[in-house]
């Protein structure tokens, strides 16, 4: 009952004309930067943060949060239409979203993406409203050993991402793990593989890697293939957006699983939407009766990562608002914004600044509904983008990628790296080496290493915590099970034929 | 997309215009004639950024021109300093240096010499670090913690952010000064350090008040001591480490404004004057205190001496800890 009263208080804050306006501005900016390749939520929020210093803190936070989750809605658009992800999490959406476009199902892909995003977001908001303090306590209970076990499971489960030969995927994952080593070693402070370039001391930029491997490589592939892709069916009628009954049947289940998994990953500090999207995709493929469809336009391959990444960004607010422990860099920037106003996120935020807390939470609903209204009519417009001749479109996309990558760290080195990765990705893809496992290895590698070393440091050199802690032990057992199953299948059957 | 960028630009210009309008008096050819750009070597939302933005408004009014904050995060402030050195030496581009700059001096191969290529203007903010413990262990004083460290053969487990940070080196210094065995465990961010302490997987965390204000105010973690030479105005009941049995354990962080070496004396004098004045303003003092930071200007010479002394101090700590080779 009390929660409902609080929620009413929240809506009274979130439905004022000012709050609606800033929410609308936030989600609109978010959608736009999401669609644009390279320019992500972090850059935009950093850019907009100083503007909010002159606003009421509630309005400022509503706007910044709107940009954050709005960007997740938009970022899949370019993945689906052009195979160029709008942000790193959306790289997963490329795997099946782009094949759907090539099959003339772009409208359906965009439609289900929007609905899946909405469901994922709403699910996490419900968790935030009813269970936030409890969940936050659970989330910070995860120790270094537990993180290690979870990430190891994610890496193992996802080793067969996308279409293609499993061995080649595994190779690419190892390359990703190696690239993740670049930068300053967290334990000794030594520079590893930086080759004397100061810009590499903080590691390789995730945005540069994702944009290079997916965006630039895709453009190179199209340009060098001799025949530029001509995408038919540029006309989108309302009917072409409506998924078939069969589509919907596969939609709901994958969406629900994506939302749950995404919320779980999102509320763990230090993870984020990219890992959420990868994990749910891998999970969906593992349990699917038709895993061979993944990578060839499976609708679950679009809906599960999309619901997961939206659930993850929304769930990231759970530890941020209730404990003052931001889940990722974006949340940290928002906390900085609150500090400027003299407001400290933490356990006392709900009691001392109840109107602010519940106002922001209520604005999440408002924002998600606005996004739904904003995105559905735009689908037709986005698909029309495909009717632009490729030779006019790709220079524009390349330019946007450059601006986006540069804007993250204001670093020219990152732009050069993007093109190096683009070229490498293009060559590797040509020989059937998929890019997605590399990206996953890159994201998970540092987390696995860091948490393993930390767990051992904390235990004074003993490996016991990995099997003594119930969470860690469970996840390690699951990992072993997956490996054993894979080995067993291999012994029984002829190796899976690589799909070109 | 273009529209968004343009909108943002317009908004920024409007803000700049509003700031300038309120006190656009300087028109008789005196410095400054146009907005002043201050480069911050960290991302928005951090301590250096927040304090500069808070002071920046008043500074803009005092100087009659708006202050534009530009964030150039990245390893050791290298990118920020290079941006600064590529601008004209006219006093319209300034940079924030910190105690971290003094550390970076020993950490990186730099293509510039901070002592030669930059000239000091004034200090702006001074802060200390806080030694924090989890309340569930029953430890309430630094003496008790040190005793626990002596009893335990494995020593204390201390959480800080990454090696080479002021926090991390302060932990190394703590280990050396206290003379007890300790393992320093590195985390990526201050919130990760806080989480580790909440989870009770470490015995001690060392970080700035600003970063962990919520948890301290909410009594989730207990401050045992502050590292400054004086008590922190935001935590008047918490003793300094020197008061609690570690007389030589003093760590003070600072943020200061620097200009390029070629900037004329009168421009530096004018800027110094304005910063010292702004740091005394009651509203600036008050907002800084809330963040656990002291607003205080200085003479150019004073802050330069501090920078030089800190370079030596931290180099010695890093050599002792085996983080860098002795030069």
């Amino acid at each position: 009952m009390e929660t409902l009263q609080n929620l009413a208080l929240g809506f009274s804050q979130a439905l004022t004309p000012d709050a609606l306006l800033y929410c609308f501005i936030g989600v609109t900016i978010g959608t736009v930067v999401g669609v644009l390749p390279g320019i992500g939520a972090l850059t935009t929020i950093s850019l907009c943060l100083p503007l909010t210093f002159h606003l009421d803190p509630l309005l400022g936070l509503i706007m910044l949060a709107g940009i954050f989750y709005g960007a997740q809605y938009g970022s899949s658009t370019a993945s689906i239409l052009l195979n160029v992800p709008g942000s790193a999490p959306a790289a997963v959406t490329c795997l099946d979203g782009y094949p759907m476009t090539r099959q003339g199902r772009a409208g359906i892909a965009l439609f289900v993406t929007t609905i899946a995003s909405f469901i994922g977001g709403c699910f996490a908001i419900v968790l935030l409203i009813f269970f936030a303090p409890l969940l936050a306590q659970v989330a910070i209970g995860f120790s270094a050993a537990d993180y290690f076990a979870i990430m190891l499971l994610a890496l193992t489960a996802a080793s067969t991402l996308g279409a293609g030969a499993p061995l080649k995927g595994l190779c690419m994952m190892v390359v990703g793990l190696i690239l993740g080593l670049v930068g300053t070693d967290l334990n000794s402070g030594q520079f590893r593989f930086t080759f004397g370039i100061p810009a590499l001391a903080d590691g390789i930029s995730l945005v540069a890697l994702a944009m290079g491997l997916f965006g630039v490589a895709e453009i190179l592939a199209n340009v060098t293939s001799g025949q530029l892709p001509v995408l038919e069916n540029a006309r989108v009628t309302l009917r072409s957006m409506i998924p078939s009954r069969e589509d919907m049947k596969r939609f709901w289940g994958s969406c629900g699983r994506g939302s749950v998994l995404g919320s779980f990953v999102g509320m763990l500090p230090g993870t984020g939407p990219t890992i959420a999207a990868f994990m749910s995709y891998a999970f969906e493929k593992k349990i699917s009766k038709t895993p061979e469809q993944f990578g060839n336009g499976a609708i679950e391959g679009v809906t599960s990562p999309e619901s997961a990444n939206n659930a993850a960004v929304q769930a990231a607010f759970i530890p941020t608002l209730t404990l003052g422990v931001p889940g990722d860099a974006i949340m940290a920037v928002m906390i900085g914004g609150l500090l400027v106003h003299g407001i400290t996120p933490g356990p006392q935020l709900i009691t001392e600044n109840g109107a602010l807390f519940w106002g922001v939470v209520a604005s999440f609903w408002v924002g998600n509904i606005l996004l739904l209204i904003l995105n559905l009519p735009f689908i037709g417009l986005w698909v029309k983008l495909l009717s632009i001749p490729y030779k006019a479109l790709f220079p524009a996309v390349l330019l946007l990628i450059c601006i986006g990558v540069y804007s993250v760290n204001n670093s020219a080195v990152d732009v050069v790296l993007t093109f190096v990765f683009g070229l490498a990705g293009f060559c590797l893809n040509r020989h059937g080496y998929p890019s997605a496992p590399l990206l996953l290895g890159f994201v998970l590698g540092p987390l696995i290493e860091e948490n393993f070393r930390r767990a051992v440091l904390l235990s004074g050199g003993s490996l016991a915590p990995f099997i003594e802690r119930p969470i860690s032990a469970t996840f390690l057992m699951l990992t072993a099970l997956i490996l054993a199953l894979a080995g067993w299948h291999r012994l029984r059957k002829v190796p899976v034929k690589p799909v070109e | 997309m273009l529209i968004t960028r343009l909108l943002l630009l317009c908004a920024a210009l409007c803000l700049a215009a509003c700031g300038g309008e309120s006190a656009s008096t300087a028109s008789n050819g005196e410095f400054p004639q146009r907005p002043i750009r201050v480069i911050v070597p960290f991302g928005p939302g951090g301590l250096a950024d927040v304090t500069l933005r808070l002071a920046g408004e008043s500074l803009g009014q005092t100087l009659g021109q708006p202050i534009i904050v530009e964030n150039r995060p990245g390893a050791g402030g290298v990118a920020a300093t290079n941006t600064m050195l590529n601008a004209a030496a006219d006093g319209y581009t300034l940079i924030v240096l910190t105690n971290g700059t003094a550390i970076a001096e020993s950490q990186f191969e730099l293509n510039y010499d901070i002592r030669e290529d930059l000239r000091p203007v004034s200090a702006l903010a001074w802060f200390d670090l806080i030694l924090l413990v989890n309340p569930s262990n029953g430890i309430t004083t630094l003496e008790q913690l040190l005793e626990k460290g002596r009893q335990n053969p494995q020593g204390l487990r201390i959480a800080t952010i990454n090696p080479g940070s002021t926090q991390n080196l302060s932990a190394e210094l703590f280990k050396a000064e206290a003379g007890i065995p300790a393992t320093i465990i590195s985390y990526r961010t201050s919130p990760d350090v806080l989480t580790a302490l909440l989870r009770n997987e470490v015995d001690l965390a060392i970080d700035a008040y600003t970063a962990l204000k919520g948890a301290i105010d909410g009594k989730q973690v207990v401050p045992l001591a502050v590292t400054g030479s004086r008590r922190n105005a935001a935590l008047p009941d918490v003793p300094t480490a020197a008061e609690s049995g570690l007389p030589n354990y003093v760590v003070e962080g600072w943020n200061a404004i620097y200009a390029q070496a070629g900037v004329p004396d009168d421009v530096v004098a004018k800027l110094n004057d304005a910063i010292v004045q702004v740091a005394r303003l009651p509203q600036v003092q008050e907002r800084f205190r809330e963040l656990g930071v002291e607003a205080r200007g200085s003479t150019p010479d004073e802050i330069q001496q501090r920078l030089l002394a800190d370079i030596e101090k931290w180099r010695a700590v890093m050599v002792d800890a085996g983080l860098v080779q002795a030069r």
Side-chain angles (χ1 to χ4, degrees), chain A residues 22 203 229 393:
Chain A
Y22 280 100
L393 193 61

PDB file of all heavy atoms in Angstrom, chain A residues 22 203 229 393:
ATOM      1  N   TYR A  22      11.024  17.478 -20.162  1.00  0.00           N
ATOM      2  CA  TYR A  22      12.415  17.028 -20.062  1.00  0.00           C
ATOM      3  C   TYR A  22      12.539  15.537 -20.320  1.00  0.00           C
ATOM      4  O   TYR A  22      13.531  15.075 -20.879  1.00  0.00           O
ATOM      5  CB  TYR A  22      13.012  17.422 -18.709  1.00  0.00           C
ATOM      6  CG  TYR A  22      13.431  18.868 -18.712  1.00  0.00           C
ATOM      7  CD1 TYR A  22      12.635  19.850 -18.138  1.00  0.00           C
ATOM      8  CD2 TYR A  22      14.603  19.257 -19.355  1.00  0.00           C
ATOM      9  CE1 TYR A  22      13.001  21.179 -18.180  1.00  0.00           C
ATOM     10  CE2 TYR A  22      14.979  20.580 -19.402  1.00  0.00           C
ATOM     11  CZ  TYR A  22      14.174  21.538 -18.811  1.00  0.00           C
ATOM     12  OH  TYR A  22      14.545  22.842 -18.870  1.00  0.00           O
ATOM     13  N   GLY A 203      43.526   1.108 -21.877  1.00  0.00           N
ATOM     14  CA  GLY A 203      42.962  -0.015 -22.615  1.00  0.00           C
ATOM     15  C   GLY A 203      42.392   0.405 -23.959  1.00  0.00           C
ATOM     16  O   GLY A 203      42.279   1.595 -24.260  1.00  0.00           O
ATOM     17  N   PRO A 229      24.662  -3.504 -52.101  1.00  0.00           N
ATOM     18  CA  PRO A 229      23.378  -4.116 -51.783  1.00  0.00           C
ATOM     19  C   PRO A 229      22.214  -3.197 -52.169  1.00  0.00           C
ATOM     20  O   PRO A 229      22.230  -2.006 -51.870  1.00  0.00           O
ATOM     21  CB  PRO A 229      23.443  -4.307 -50.271  1.00  0.00           C
ATOM     22  CG  PRO A 229      24.479  -3.356 -49.802  1.00  0.00           C
ATOM     23  CD  PRO A 229      25.439  -3.163 -50.920  1.00  0.00           C
ATOM     24  N   LEU A 393      25.029   6.560 -48.903  1.00  0.00           N
ATOM     25  CA  LEU A 393      24.805   6.272 -47.481  1.00  0.00           C
ATOM     26  C   LEU A 393      26.112   5.964 -46.746  1.00  0.00           C
ATOM     27  O   LEU A 393      26.347   6.455 -45.632  1.00  0.00           O
ATOM     28  CB  LEU A 393      23.855   5.073 -47.363  1.00  0.00           C
ATOM     29  CG  LEU A 393      23.257   4.794 -45.991  1.00  0.00           C
ATOM     30  CD1 LEU A 393      22.433   5.971 -45.534  1.00  0.00           C
ATOM     31  CD2 LEU A 393      22.402   3.530 -46.047  1.00  0.00           C
TER      32      LEU A 393
END
